[in-house]
């Protein structure tokens, strides 16, 4: 009886152990079954693959500036810059036209200063102080110009009666020649032409009177311009260097070195032009004056002075002064003398154009003939005779300044990085063994 409970206890312990193992096995099976169901649920929740193909990505739109052709962009960039430049020039011309008398007087003072400044420098080298040297040179220069003007006026007034009678005789001779010429001109036709001229003069009497009043105004403006030019010349001769240094302060600091270098070169060009033009005009006046003097043309000396003054207007001045001399010779001495005068004028002008100007003016102030014609025409349209006189030296100085600034910008711009010429690729050099460091010994 004592062994039965012991056996039952072992059986109950075995059954309990088996139940625990079954519970563990069941838990493992349930765990595995639950994971598979969860994975199936997750797979069921995923979206089904679509039958349509994926959308093609769109390329971004290009920049509008890149879409414009390169040539159009270059033309637009140059166009707006030209418009700004044209607007600036237009405003500048409006300002100059408003103060035309002052600008013209100052430019003429610059030309006179370029002619007289070497005399001041020579007097300074001989020990004369700056003030007296400037005063002596300026007063002497303007005195010579005034004497020339007075001499021309005196000669014209002295010979006006003789010239009038000679012109009347020349007109009578021309009338007789027309009556006997093969053109079959009658005396009635000549009288009709003279009558038409008198009627035209009578009809325009008011306009002629107003022109005379305008002439008085022109004389007043001319005297004002002469005074302005005189005082400007005095100050330019006396204090020209300090005026230039003050002008440089108005230029931006970045552009100041280039302008400081262009100024002396422009002044040398202007000085060379004025000296050369005066010398060439003097030679023209002397030789043409001698020619018409030996041809017995009246008022040879005043005509020579007119030729000298008109020679400061390139091309146009020589033609106008030569034509004046030929007309005077025609109405006073006849056709043969006029033809000989024309031959003298043409010969001297050919020597001037092919020998004197290249030799005296040189390449420093050489301007293309087309530029000379256009500049003289533009200067005459803007400011009359004064504009025609200053047009060519202005173009010559501008040409010098632009050339210097171009060379200066090339010298100051950084040089481009050198590029190796195309060729076969070269093998890199083999590495060299570094030398071993010397042993360090402790002292």
């Amino acid at each position: 009886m004592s062994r039965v409970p012991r056996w039952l206890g072992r059986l109950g312990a075995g059954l309990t152990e088996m139940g625990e193992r079954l519970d563990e096995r069941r838990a493992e099976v349930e765990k595995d079954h639950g994971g598979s169901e969860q994975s199936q649920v997750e797979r069921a929740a995923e979206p089904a693959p679509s039958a349509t193909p994926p959308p093609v990505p769109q390329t971004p739109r290009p920049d509008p500036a890149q879409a414009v052709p390169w040539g159009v962009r270059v033309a637009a960039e140059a166009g707006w810059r030209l418009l700004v430049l044209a607007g600036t020039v237009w405003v500048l011309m409006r300002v100059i036209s408003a103060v035309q008398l002052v600008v013209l007087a100052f430019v003429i003072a610059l030309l006179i200063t370029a002619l007289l400044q070497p005399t001041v420098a020579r007097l300074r080298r001989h020990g004369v102080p700056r003030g007296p040297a400037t005063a002596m040179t300026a007063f002497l220069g303007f005195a010579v110009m005034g004497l020339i003007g007075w001499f021309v006026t005196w000669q014209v007034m002295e010979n006006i009666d003789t010239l009038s009678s000679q012109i009347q005789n020349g007109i009578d001779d021309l009338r007789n020649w027309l009556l006997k010429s093969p053109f079959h001109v009658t005396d009635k036709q000549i009288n009709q032409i003279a009558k038409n001229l008198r009627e035209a003069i009578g009809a325009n009497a008011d306009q002629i009177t107003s022109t005379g009043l305008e002439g008085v105004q022109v004389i007043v403006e001319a005297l004002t311009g002469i005074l302005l030019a005189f005082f400007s010349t005095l100050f330019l001769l006396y204090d020209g260097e300090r005026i230039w240094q003050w002008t440089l302060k108005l230029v931006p600091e970045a552009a100041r070195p280039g302008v400081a270098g262009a100024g002396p070169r422009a002044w040398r060009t202007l000085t060379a032009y004025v000296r050369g033009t005066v010398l060439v005009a003097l030679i023209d006046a002397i030789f043409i004056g001698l020619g018409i003097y030996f041809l017995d043309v009246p008022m040879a000396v005043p005509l020579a002075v007119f030729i000298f003054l008109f020679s400061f207007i390139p091309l146009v001045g020589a033609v106008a002064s030569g034509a004046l001399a030929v007309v005077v010779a025609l109405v006073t001495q006849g056709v043969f003398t006029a033809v000989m005068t024309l031959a003298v004028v043409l010969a001297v002008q050919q020597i001037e154009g092919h020998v004197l100007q290249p030799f005296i003016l040189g390449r420093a102030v050489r301007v293309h003939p087309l530029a000379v014609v256009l500049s003289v025409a533009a200067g005459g349209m803007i400011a009359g005779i004064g504009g025609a006189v200053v047009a060519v030296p202005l173009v010559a100085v501008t040409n010098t300044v632009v050339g210097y600034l171009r060379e200066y910008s090339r010298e100051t711009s950084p040089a481009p990085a050198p590029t190796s010429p195309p060729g076969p690729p070269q093998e890199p050099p083999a590495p060299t063994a570094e030398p071993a460091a010397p042993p360090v010994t402790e002292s």
Side-chain angles (χ1 to χ4, degrees):
M1 291 297 291
S2 58
R3 294 181 180 179
V4 174
R6 191 178 298 170
W7 176 80
L8 289 175
R10 287 197 297 268
L11 180 62
L15 292 175
T16 303
E17 185 178 357
M18 288 179 62
E20 293 177 355
R21 291 179 179 177
L22 289 174
D23 292 338
E24 292 178 359
R25 182 63 181 169
R26 189 184 296 110
E28 291 177 359
V29 172
E30 290 179 356
K31 185 178 180 181
D32 294 338
H33 183 69
S36 61
E37 289 182 355
Q38 185 179 1
S39 62
Q40 291 178 1
V41 172
E42 291 177 355
R43 285 196 299 269
E46 292 179 356
S50 177
T52 59
V56 180
Q58 296 182 357
T59 57
R61 294 184 179 180
D63 186 14
Q66 299 297 329
V68 179
W70 181 81
V72 177
R73 281 187 286 162
V74 172
E77 292 287 337
W80 74 260
R81 286 176 171 84
L82 289 176
L83 287 177
V84 172
L85 182 61
T88 304
V89 173
W90 182 81
V91 172
L92 182 62
M93 295 305 298
R94 296 284 294 181
V95 173
I96 290 176
S97 62
V99 290
Q100 177 180 345
L101 180 62
V102 177
V103 174
L104 190 59
F106 182 75
V107 174
I108 292 175
L110 280 176
L111 298 178
I112 298 174
T113 303
L115 180 63
L116 300 180
Q117 194 271 336
T119 304
V120 176
R122 192 175 296 110
L123 292 175
R124 292 289 306 278
R125 286 195 297 268
H126 285 81
V128 181
R130 182 172 57 179
T134 301
M136 291 170 56
T137 304
F139 282 106
L140 181 62
F142 279 94
V144 170
M145 296 176 191
L147 287 175
I148 292 174
W150 170 81
F151 179 75
V152 172
T153 305
W154 174 63
Q155 286 290 315
V156 171
M157 296 302 295
E158 285 290 326
N159 295 278
I160 190 66
D161 295 334
T162 304
L163 183 63
S164 299
S165 61
Q166 289 179 344
I167 289 175
Q168 184 63 41
N169 295 332
I171 292 174
D172 294 337
D173 294 339
L174 179 62
R175 178 176 180 176
N176 295 330
W177 180 80
L178 288 175
L179 291 173
K180 298 178 182 178
S181 67
F183 299 106
H184 304 290
V185 180
T186 62
D187 194 8
K188 183 178 179 180
Q189 293 175 340
I190 296 175
N191 293 332
Q192 184 65 32
I193 292 173
K195 181 180 178 182
N196 293 335
L197 289 175
R198 287 194 298 269
E199 290 178 354
I201 294 174
N204 297 321
D206 295 337
Q207 185 177 359
I208 293 174
T209 304
S210 63
T211 304
L213 294 177
E214 291 179 359
V216 175
Q217 183 180 0
V218 169
I219 292 175
V220 173
E221 291 181 355
L223 293 176
T224 305
I226 291 173
L227 290 176
L228 287 175
F230 176 74
F231 285 107
S232 300
T233 304
L234 279 178
F235 286 109
L236 289 173
L237 288 174
Y238 180 77
D239 218 8
E241 186 175 356
R242 282 194 287 183
I243 293 175
W244 170 245
Q245 295 298 329
W246 176 83
T247 306
L248 284 178
K249 296 179 181 179
L250 303 177
V251 181
E253 189 174 357
R256 196 171 298 169
V259 177
R265 288 166 176 79
W267 182 251
R268 285 197 293 268
T269 299
L270 182 63
T271 303
Y273 175 84
V274 173
R275 293 180 187 174
T277 303
V278 169
L279 186 56
V280 170
L282 186 62
I283 294 174
D284 287 351
I286 290 174
F287 282 96
I288 295 178
L290 289 175
I292 60 178
Y293 175 78
F294 286 114
L295 290 173
D296 202 15
V297 177
M299 293 196 307
V301 176
L303 287 175
V305 175
F306 276 115
I307 291 171
F308 173 78
L309 296 177
F310 275 86
S311 295
F312 284 91
I313 306 175
L315 300 180
V316 179
V319 173
S321 59
L324 179 62
V326 171
V327 169
V328 173
L330 176 64
V331 299
T332 56
Q333 299 296 326
V335 178
F336 177 77
T337 305
V339 172
M340 296 302 296
T341 303
L342 179 61
V344 170
V345 171
L346 292 178
V348 173
Q349 289 181 358
Q350 289 299 315
I351 295 174
E352 170 199 344
H354 294 87
V355 178
L356 296 179
Q357 286 190 354
F359 179 75
I360 295 175
L361 294 179
R363 300 183 61 89
V365 292
R366 182 172 296 178
V367 182
H368 196 276
L370 179 60
V372 172
V373 174
L374 294 178
S375 61
V376 170
M381 293 175 61
I382 294 173
I385 297 178
V389 171
V390 304
V392 177
L394 180 62
V395 171
V397 169
T398 303
N399 185 30
T400 301
V401 171
V402 171
Y404 172 78
L405 292 179
R406 186 186 300 117
E407 294 296 329
Y408 178 79
S409 63
R410 290 176 182 174
E411 293 176 358
T412 55
S413 59
T419 57
S420 59
Q426 299 178 358
E427 297 181 357
T432 57
E434 297 182 356
V440 180
T441 58
E442 297 180 358
S443 56

